[in-house]
Amino acid sequence: MEFLTRAGRQRYDELVADAAQGVVCLDFDGVLAPIVDDPSQAHIHPDAADVLVDLAARFRGVAVVTGRPCRQAVTLGDLDAVGRRILEAGQDLQVLGQYGNERWSASSGRVVSPRPPRGLASFVAELPDLLRREGLEDAHLEQKSLAVAVHTRRMADPVGALERLTPVLRKAAARYDLALEPGRMVVEVRAPGMNKGNAVRTLQKELHADAMMFVGDDLGDVDAFEAIIDLRRRGMVGFLVCSGSQEQRALVELADLLVDGPDGVMQLLKQIVADLPPPDADAPGR
Ligand SMILES: [Mg+2]
């Protein structure tokens, strides 16, 4: 492993030593599942199920923290089945969807979701006109219960389109008191007030964790990284991994380790499991 800093190596060692009090947080797209042109065709890495089960047996918590609705992540990741295996081992698997606005856990088996933000329906109704006025009507709209995502990935000039689209959506979203979430060839407009940073802080508090790891690949993960850096300032262990996107400099600059996409993530997670002390040694504190 090539750590980006000397502190990175140390943080890895501390995380491994503190696994029984630690929580592993993993983004879905670009981390557990390769990025694909059509988000509905994403599929989880074939090694992910076994790795998640192994991690859950040894860490205090394992959570998928994603911009996707919980139900989508659970379906695409076959996380129901993974969760059942984790439950059998006496642990739980959590999914925090739509940037933490929604929750699913293997133990509850259901999604808890707030009502859609006020203004979202009106914003969505206005969107086709708005896009047409800007010559962006070819953008792909993805409706979520609490948000709408506008994708430029399949357009003729995805980067140029994204650059034109972002300020237009930002202005319109502000009129409806909605928040803007930029990503890779996508801009999402959603409820304000929640982000992956809050999601991470919630998990840390609920599970009384004193070590947190986050693996992300996109701008939406910066909030989670910053939350963990803040927890680190208060003396907690925090280990940050960027999955394969050199272009997301904002994330790489904060990361302790850069890995090569979902394949690299799986390699890293297997290495962590291999490096953990034997199960009996960390029995107290579970
Ligand atoms: Mg991602």
Side-chain angles (χ1 to χ4, degrees), residues 27-31 33 35 65-67 184 196 215-218 221:
D27 178 28
F28 189 80
D29 295 276
V31 171
I35 300 283
V65 182
T66 175
R184 282 201 270 179
K196 289 190 181 183
V215 189
D217 74 311
D218 207 346
D221 301 314

Side-chain angles (χ1 to χ4, degrees), residues 137-149:
E137 62 274 12
D138 291 342
H140 171 68
L141 301 187
E142 184 194 357
Q143 294 251 19
K144 308 181 183 185
S145 53
L146 305 173
V148 59

